[in-house]
Amino acid sequence: MSWACFSLRFSQLWDLDGTLIDTSSASMITLQQLIVELGGKLELSTLVPIVEQSAAISTGQKATKSSKEHWAQQVLRVTGLEAKLTPAALVKKWEDRMIKKRADIQLMPGAMEVVSHLHNLGIPQAIATMSNSRSVAIKQRAHPEIFDLMDVVVTSDDPDVRNRKPAPDCWLTAAQRLKKKCTRCVVVEDSPEGMRSGFAAGARVVGVPAAWTSPEKIGRGVKVDYMLQRGLLDFPFKQFGLPPLPPQLTKK
């Protein structure tokens, strides 16, 4: 199916963290700072693969604290901090800090412009995220302007989301609630696991450059229909047969 034909009746499905809201890099930096304060040392180049690998290992598990404790255990082992606190305690300290910071986390560049433009064009939109409902509620209070334009929001603790990304559960649930088929949806994602889950759902997938995920990793065994080179303002409106962003928005 060509992009032009596809564009006639598509719906837009958004990842949240690292795609619409700049939480991914903030999460890693906050965890790194916490490790330093506890007396350890861990470079982001080492930390990010640990968290990513743990996420991949936990695929198929419900989005619970135990899946986070897997990377916490690895971090404590690598930094020699195992005697100071448990994985559960590290996760709790990190979550407490992130809760305090979430109100200050900014939208990704271009997020409001692109979401608003699609909304004005009458395109149904949904968020499907691996953040739980408590976390999403905090982000929604911080950025009601973007959540108000969503028709559906699906969180990791939704009863219909049984498996984490790269399983397709969250996208299938969002599409169903939009009363659309996933084959008529576009998924926008920043992580390799999220991109794989979009394809598993049968959607078209648009990749977003991530602050903490290298282009090489995204490209390794991960297929995308379209990769944004600079960020959301490069959204492929033309391929969908849609009018581009108004000039006044692209100048911001």
Side-chain angles (χ1 to χ4, degrees):
M1 182 189 301
S2 69
W3 283 99
C5 294
F6 180 80
S7 69
L8 297 177
R9 295 181 303 276
F10 83 94
S11 297
Q12 179 65 53
L13 307 182
W14 296 98
D15 173 51
L16 181 60
D17 298 296
T19 299
L20 292 177
I21 297 180
D22 191 15
T23 45
S24 295
S25 56
S27 295
M28 294 296 103
I29 292 170
T30 299
L31 182 55
Q32 183 190 39
Q33 291 171 341
L34 178 58
I35 291 298
V36 171
E37 291 177 19
L38 290 169
K41 183 178 180 181
L42 195 60
E43 298 297 329
L44 285 176
S45 59
T46 303
L47 176 59
V48 171
I50 290 174
V51 176
E52 288 182 338
Q53 183 180 22
S54 296
I57 289 172
S58 67
T59 297
Q61 295 181 3
K62 191 68 180 172
T64 63
K65 184 183 293 185
S66 62
S67 64
K68 294 177 182 176
E69 289 176 9
H70 187 277
W71 59 250
Q73 183 178 23
Q74 301 305 311
V75 167
L76 292 174
R77 180 181 60 79
V78 170
T79 57
L81 295 173
E82 290 175 295
K84 283 197 171 184
L85 71 170
T86 65
L90 177 60
V91 169
K92 178 65 164 56
K93 286 179 178 291
W94 171 74
E95 286 183 334
D96 288 345
R97 292 198 178 195
M98 285 305 300
I99 287 171
K100 292 177 182 178
K101 287 188 173 185
R102 277 169 187 152
D104 299 322
I105 291 174
Q106 300 301 306
L107 293 175
M108 295 292 286
M112 195 67 222
E113 292 88 341
V114 173
V115 169
S116 295
H117 190 47
L118 289 172
H119 175 77
N120 292 337
L121 294 171
I123 305 296
Q125 299 182 82
I127 287 172
T129 175
M130 289 296 92
S131 290
N132 61 34
S133 53
R134 177 181 177 224
S135 174
V136 171
I138 295 169
K139 297 164 189 173
Q140 185 167 3
R141 288 195 294 271
H143 295 288
E145 69 278 14
I146 204 161
F147 280 88
D148 287 348
L149 301 183
M150 296 295 158
D151 300 287
V152 168
V153 176
V154 176
T155 60
S156 65
D157 52 351
D158 188 292
D160 290 329
V161 179
R162 296 185 178 183
N163 302 300
R164 296 180 61 85
K165 301 172 184 177
D169 299 35
C170 63
W171 305 121
L172 294 171
T173 300
Q176 182 181 41
R177 292 177 187 174
L178 288 174
K179 296 180 169 52
K180 301 289 183 180
K181 294 182 178 180
C182 248
T183 52
R184 302 298 309 180
C185 294
V186 174
V187 162
V188 180
E189 259 283 1
D190 70 308
S191 73
E193 292 75 19
M195 294 173 200
R196 291 190 181 98
S197 70
F199 271 106
R204 295 290 180 96
V205 177
V206 173
V208 180
W212 52 277
T213 305
S214 69
E216 292 77 17
K217 178 171 177 56
I218 289 178
R220 190 180 306 143
V222 179
K223 176 181 161 190
V224 293
D225 289 299
Y226 192 95
M227 176 60 74
L228 305 179
Q229 297 303 312
R230 296 174 296 173
L232 292 175
L233 289 175
D234 288 335
F235 191 86
F237 293 105
K238 183 178 180 180
Q239 279 81 349
F240 296 145
L242 298 174
L245 283 171
Q248 63 269 26
L249 291 182
T250 59
K251 291 178 182 177
K252 287 187 178 182

